[in-house]
Amino acid sequence: MLNINTLVRPCIARLKPYSCARDEFKGEARVFVDANENPFDENKYNRYPDPLQLAVKQRIAELKKVRATQIMLGNGSDEPIDLIYRIFCEPTVNNAVAIAPTYGMYGVCADINNVEYRSVNLNNDYSLDANRLLAAVDANTRVIWLCSPNNPTGNLLNRSEIKKVLEGFGGIVVIDEAYVDFASEESWLSELDNYPNLVVLQTFSKAWGMASVRCGMAFASEEIIGYFNKVKYPYNINKLTQEFVLNRLQNVELKEKQTKIILGERPKLALELEKLALVEKVYASDANFLLVKVNDAPKIYNQLAQKGIVVRSRHNIVLCNNCLRITIGTADENKVIVETLKEL
Ligand SMILES: *Cc1c(COP(=O)(O)O)cnc(C)c1O
């Protein structure tokens, strides 16, 4: 049986967290004079916000069919990514293993925290080989990073290979599901109670259309969430964000409608791109972007930029030679992209 406590850095296991005023007294009162706030509430933001964002979490719990106590909210997904290192990886001692190519923040946060980051290439078709990934694990490995659907490759990682990783590794396995709303398979959230070492990341930045709000979610066992709560800044999600997100979460239909449009555009754009002479391959996508192999990525990137179209070059990334990543836009935007490429 996995004991999460033994995976946690000793200084975090010992940590007595800061106890803020709103931690020490919860509930309603006639007069709040415990937090040195300005008592005049003309702007309605004079009070400190709920440090645990319960109202938002209850709504997320309802939508995602998890318990509110299995949720941590962060300033984008970047916050839980950084916290995972700070909770589980002793700098210069512990290491993390990740697939490659993948999202860049796992490696950047490892560097910031002075934690060794071990990249293991996916297969040439971007599928996951669990045994090869697990071969990079040693006694000091605390975290494995998976991303499914993966960025920048766009594909889902095979479920049974992920299962092998979850079952074959005695540390934390993170599955980043930033693009899950565009995928043809179920989220791993329903497996949380079966895998005490599983952390699932999701975000409001993609399908939910709130990238500028900066709000991401981590889902895990109550025990792991307890460590997140201990280490995060006490008031990490401000009240404006909590209100805005809660409000948007009332309108699930809008998100579903927009997702449907994007999913309808995806095969159309892929088909149009495949017809172009400069396109060598359009990879299958379970996300809101296409990875496209072209004959000369740096040249095409520059030519597009000159015409005011900005795509993401992944040319310098392992296994992505001559690849551009193109986000699915509106029907009009997608038309402009295809027409512009035709003229090159
Ligand atoms: C876009 C993206 C995120 C979201 O990051 P936020 O900080 O929540 O905006 C997380 N993971 C991956 C793989 C992404 O591509």
Side-chain angles (χ1 to χ4, degrees):
M1 187 56 207
L2 180 75
N3 186 353
I4 294 292
N5 294 320
T6 62
L7 296 174
V8 173
R9 292 170 64 202
C11 65
I12 302 300
R14 279 195 304 269
L15 178 70
K16 219 183 149 307
Y18 176 71
S19 180
C20 62
R22 281 301 100 80
D23 283 330
E24 293 185 0
F25 182 90
K26 296 187 171 86
E28 299 302 315
R30 212 144 56 101
V31 180
F32 276 110
V33 286
D34 58 345
N36 298 345
E37 297 151 334
N38 182 324
F40 302 107
D41 67 351
E42 271 100 294
N43 62 18
K44 294 205 164 56
Y45 295 94
N46 59 320
R47 299 293 179 185
Y48 281 100
D50 176 1
L52 293 175
Q53 312 100 23
L54 266 182
V56 189
K57 284 180 185 171
Q58 271 157 7
R59 179 65 182 140
I60 295 170
E62 223 172 80
L63 290 173
K64 306 273 179 186
K65 301 187 170 56
V66 299
R67 296 183 293 281
T69 47
Q70 290 174 304
I71 306 171
M72 180 265 172
L73 296 182
N75 186 331
S77 307
D78 300 339
E79 185 178 354
I81 290 169
D82 184 55
L83 285 176
I84 285 165
Y85 285 111
R86 292 167 65 196
I87 294 166
F88 296 106
C89 297
E90 192 62 38
T92 75
V93 176
N94 294 128
N95 65 73
V97 169
I99 57 169
T102 194
Y103 186 48
M105 278 305 285
Y106 318 138
V108 171
C109 284
D111 290 345
I112 291 169
N113 286 286
N114 205 11
V115 169
E116 186 197 344
Y117 183 78
R118 301 179 175 180
S119 288
V120 179
N121 285 1
L122 294 169
N123 297 320
N124 284 329
D125 65 356
Y126 301 142
S127 61
L128 171 64
D129 181 336
N131 290 333
R132 189 142 45 81
L133 193 74
L134 290 170
V137 168
D138 67 15
N140 285 320
T141 306
R142 289 290 174 273
V143 179
I144 290 181
W145 295 98
L146 301 175
C147 183
S148 181
N150 188 34
N151 180 6
T153 59
N155 59 305
L156 281 160
L157 302 180
N158 183 286
R159 256 189 132 71
S160 59
E161 290 298 299
I162 292 182
K163 219 163 227 179
K164 269 193 224 168
V165 175
L166 280 163
E167 285 164 9
F169 176 54
I172 301 297
V173 177
V174 184
I175 305 178
D176 187 340
E177 294 189 332
Y179 300 98
V180 71
D181 301 275
F182 307 103
S184 55
E185 275 182 23
E186 287 296 292
S187 161
W188 281 85
L189 283 181
S190 57
E191 299 284 346
L192 276 181
D193 286 329
N194 299 328
Y195 297 104
N197 58 336
L198 171 62
V199 176
V200 175
L201 301 181
Q202 294 187 4
T203 180
F204 292 116
S205 297
K206 306 287 156 67
W208 283 98
M210 291 187 270
S212 77
V213 170
R214 307 308 303 134
C215 193
M217 297 162 268
F219 301 87
S221 68
E222 271 86 357
E223 199 177 2
I224 294 175
I225 296 299
Y227 283 110
F228 275 120
N229 290 339
K230 216 169 136 173
V231 175
K232 75 177 185 68
Y233 293 158
Y235 302 110
N236 64 323
I237 306 290
N238 68 66
K239 189 180 171 190
L240 292 160
T241 297
Q242 293 187 39
E243 287 176 343
F244 191 87
V245 171
L246 184 56
N247 189 270
R248 283 293 289 269
L249 289 179
Q250 305 311 323
N251 196 347
V252 182
E253 297 73 27
L254 179 68
K255 171 227 167 205
E256 282 172 355
K257 191 180 108 193
Q258 293 174 347
T259 301
K260 220 168 145 186
I261 295 171
I262 292 164
L263 290 180
E265 285 296 313
R266 189 171 67 191
K268 282 198 243 167
L269 180 59
L271 197 69
E272 290 303 315
L273 291 173
E274 277 165 356
K275 289 183 194 160
L276 302 174
L278 53 79
V279 168
E280 293 183 357
K281 185 177 169 96
V282 179
Y283 289 89
S285 173
D286 265 285
N288 66 335
F289 59 82
L290 295 172
L291 188 71
V292 184
K293 196 181 194 73
V294 293
N295 52 17
D296 188 342
K299 185 174 132 201
I300 293 169
Y301 175 88
N302 284 326
Q303 287 176 325
L304 283 175
Q306 269 165 18
K307 294 177 184 274
I309 294 171
V310 188
V311 298
R312 188 98 153 118
S313 175
R314 301 285 76 188
H315 178 56
N316 292 319
I317 305 272
V318 64
L319 295 180
C320 294
N321 198 33
N322 273 325
C323 285
L324 302 173
R325 195 192 67 194
I326 304 178
T327 309
I328 313 292
T330 63
D332 284 347
E333 288 173 332
N334 300 337
K335 237 174 247 149
V336 171
I337 293 165
V338 172
E339 291 311 314
T340 308
L341 282 168
K342 267 184 195 162
E343 289 162 13
L344 297 186

